[in-house]
Amino acid sequence: MTRVGIGYDVHRVAQGRRLVLCGVEFPGEIGLDGHSDADVALHAVADALLGAAALGDIGEHFPPADERWRDVDSGDLLTRIVAIIAPDYNIGNVDLTLVGERPRVAPRREAMRQRLAELLGIDIERVSVKATTNERLGAIGRGEGIAALASALLEERR
């Protein structure tokens, strides 16, 4: 059986924090606020995978009130989620869209795809990373945060 999940996350910008998207740092950019490293991209992918497997969301598995997860590398969280779903599912593909006025993703897109593929344990050809602006509309358009949307296809192991 094939299963599809959708993930969404948003984080506001925060001075004094580094910006990490798909496990790739963007030096010189303002970071995001969050309990973990605030990697909005990996959080959306995690929720897409968990949703496809009908296993809740990232907050259920790694509650923000739990200090064990403070400032944790979101790549570590994603690899834990992959391990949770691995006995029952293969990851078919993941498609990620980042929404924000900054940073420019194009120069780092391939590094982001590579890191995401490594974390998921799949070929890079199964990973898509895209970005768009919010046309300066709303909080995202004013540069107050970054949002991410992801879809994941899981194939049941036989």
Side-chain angles (χ1 to χ4, degrees):
M1 177 190 315
T2 301
R3 301 175 67 119
V4 176
I6 298 171
Y8 173 81
D9 197 28
V10 63
H11 286 272
R12 70 180 65 241
V13 297
Q15 293 290 338
R17 289 190 53 120
R18 63 192 184 103
L19 179 61
V20 180
L21 299 171
C22 289
V24 175
E25 190 165 346
F26 284 74
E29 294 287 346
I30 298 170
L32 299 174
D33 190 27
H35 186 71
S36 66
D37 64 3
D39 189 329
V40 68
L42 294 186
H43 295 178
V45 170
D47 273 348
L49 292 169
L50 289 167
L55 293 173
D57 62 35
I58 193 171
E60 285 180 57
H61 293 268
F62 311 105
D66 188 334
E67 287 301 310
R68 287 182 299 167
W69 310 120
R70 178 164 302 286
D71 296 324
V72 70
D73 180 334
S74 294
D76 292 342
L77 302 180
L78 187 58
T79 56
R80 289 172 186 258
I81 289 167
V82 169
I84 290 168
I85 66 171
D88 298 315
Y89 302 100
N90 291 314
I91 300 170
N93 76 299
V94 169
D95 182 28
L96 170 70
T97 302
L98 291 157
V99 184
E101 304 306 305
R102 295 185 60 94
R104 286 196 20 87
V105 167
R108 309 293 311 271
R109 180 185 332 274
E110 290 310 305
M112 295 167 71
R113 288 181 66 219
Q114 182 62 46
R115 182 63 181 141
L116 186 51
E118 289 170 5
L119 291 168
L120 297 172
I122 61 176
D123 293 333
I124 194 169
E125 292 81 21
R126 296 179 180 199
V127 176
S128 171
V129 174
K130 309 177 300 297
T132 189
T133 68
N134 220 36
E135 297 292 330
R136 299 186 187 166
L137 297 172
I140 300 292
R142 289 189 299 272
E144 296 172 20
I146 299 174
L149 301 111
S151 61
L153 179 81
L154 297 183
E155 298 161 342
E156 196 167 20
R157 292 185 187 267
R158 298 191 185 258

